[in-house]
Amino acid sequence: MTVSAAAGLALSLPQQLTVVALCALTAFVAHLALAVFNDGVRPFLLDFVQGRSTRAATTAVAFGLSAGFVFGLGAPMALASGVLNPWLLFLPTDVLGILAPKKWLGPLLGAGWGAVVVFGLGGANELAHDLPVDFLTAMREMSTPILYLFTLFPVLAVTRQFGRWRGAVVGVVELALVVLTSKLWPGMFPGALAMAVGVLLLIGFAVAKDVRRKGTREAPTAAADDPMASLFSAGAARLRRHLPLFMLLGAGICVLAQLKVFGGGEATSFLIAKGQYAEAAQVDFYRAFGFVPLIATTALASGAYGIAGFTLAYPIGYLMPNPLLAAVAGAAVFAVEVLALASIGRVLGRLPSVRDSSEQLRAAIGEALGLAILFGSLMAAHAMGGGLGILICGGLYLLNEAMGRPVVRMAAAPTAVIVGGVLLNLLYWLDLFTPLARVKG
């Protein structure tokens, strides 16, 4: 089954309206400093809300932390897979919402960005496919390394937290499950079951370690004596006051996922493009374990939630049969998440190993995807230009490293493929390069 990039990113009118409306809503929420998608921006919102930082300064922080991911990861991944993603949609609305000086201007700017994505990305896709060197079709080569190397993130997390022997055991188990799945259920993404078992083993090791420690540790500090308790309480109360707005946001996120034109992650985007919605739901569900503690603690400390919440609305949306049920489910999920934030924070305070597992999962996801994206980008470079393509794209990546990474590492390789594709087309027009056979979709 081919990725939907071949379809030219064509969206129906309901899908277009949903994207524009959701971008308007997320920009409005960001303007109110109630939620942002970028986890790195969220801690800065407390100073902004309390008047210790200006809107302009906070916008500069948001732009600096987001721009590389928008143009170096979000746009290339959308063009390669034919599926929208949160970096492309929600990182810009973070910036635009915070930038807007008036409430009415935030959603207007957000809607404008949604329109640019809906209409501009499809046009760019069609234009690129008509070029002599079709680098977007070549970028589909990224899908295989991303899907398969992403499967290994639980192995990396277990190894780092619990040692090489347990990591080796989890690695062998995952490999066996991938082989068995490929043999017994060829229509299923082979890494889905392996990831499930790997994440469950990691959580099991962490919970067991915390249980063993429980008898020897001192009783947790009372909330009244906890210096963070009042701050966390204020953050939770601020979010609860805006519960209806968060329920509307949850409904919108879930509906977008249900429309099957949106993927919550790099691997998920390619699974959605292939129509493997159940596997995509599994991948995003496991991925959420790495981000719940981070999102919960930063939300409680800053009083600003994540645009996608704990990201559980993604997998739920993929599995919903229609947009109406998706809207109801998304609203309910966000309501439960916001109301349970304080309790989740207290539970995490008593489970240090589980918190450590979350950090290890995030680091492992980044490491696995970093290698997968680099390897896939070099495969794409070879597909569109052979050795010369690898020289140009690999050289651009290495130059970025030597210059201190002006483009963040995760986004550098896809950016290099796009720039390399443009350069190869220029060389063709100068009669200095003969394109390889067009990559077949």
Side-chain angles (χ1 to χ4, degrees), residues 179-239:
V179 173
L180 286 174
T181 303
S182 300
K183 183 69 174 177
L184 299 177
W185 304 289
M188 176 181 176
F189 169 53
L193 182 59
M195 274 187 284
V197 173
V199 171
L200 289 175
L201 286 172
L202 173 64
I203 294 173
F205 293 150
V207 171
K209 185 174 182 179
D210 284 333
V211 169
R212 288 195 301 269
R213 286 177 173 176
K214 188 175 181 181
T216 58
R217 293 177 60 200
E218 297 179 0
T221 305
D225 299 325
D226 187 351
M228 296 296 291
S230 59
L231 178 62
F232 277 22
S233 178
R238 180 174 188 258
L239 296 177

Side-chain angles (χ1 to χ4, degrees), residues 40-114:
V41 174
R42 200 171 302 119
F44 292 93
L45 291 184
L46 181 62
D47 286 341
F48 173 65
V49 170
Q50 295 183 350
R52 295 192 297 269
S53 178
T54 65
R55 185 173 292 278
T58 309
T59 301
V61 169
F63 181 82
L65 293 175
S66 302
F69 286 101
V70 176
F71 301 107
L73 184 62
M77 288 298 298
L79 290 169
S81 66
V83 175
L84 302 176
N85 58 68
W87 304 283
L88 180 64
L89 294 182
F90 304 143
L91 288 179
T93 59
D94 283 356
V95 177
L96 294 172
I98 298 172
L99 172 67
K102 302 292 183 181
K103 283 185 179 181
W104 60 267
L105 187 56
L108 188 63
L109 292 174
W113 175 253

Side-chain angles (χ1 to χ4, degrees), residues 11 37 39 123 237 246 304 316 327 330 355 388 392:
L11 303 181
F37 180 76
D39 295 319
F246 282 114
I316 292 172
R355 292 201 312 273
L388 180 60
I392 293 174

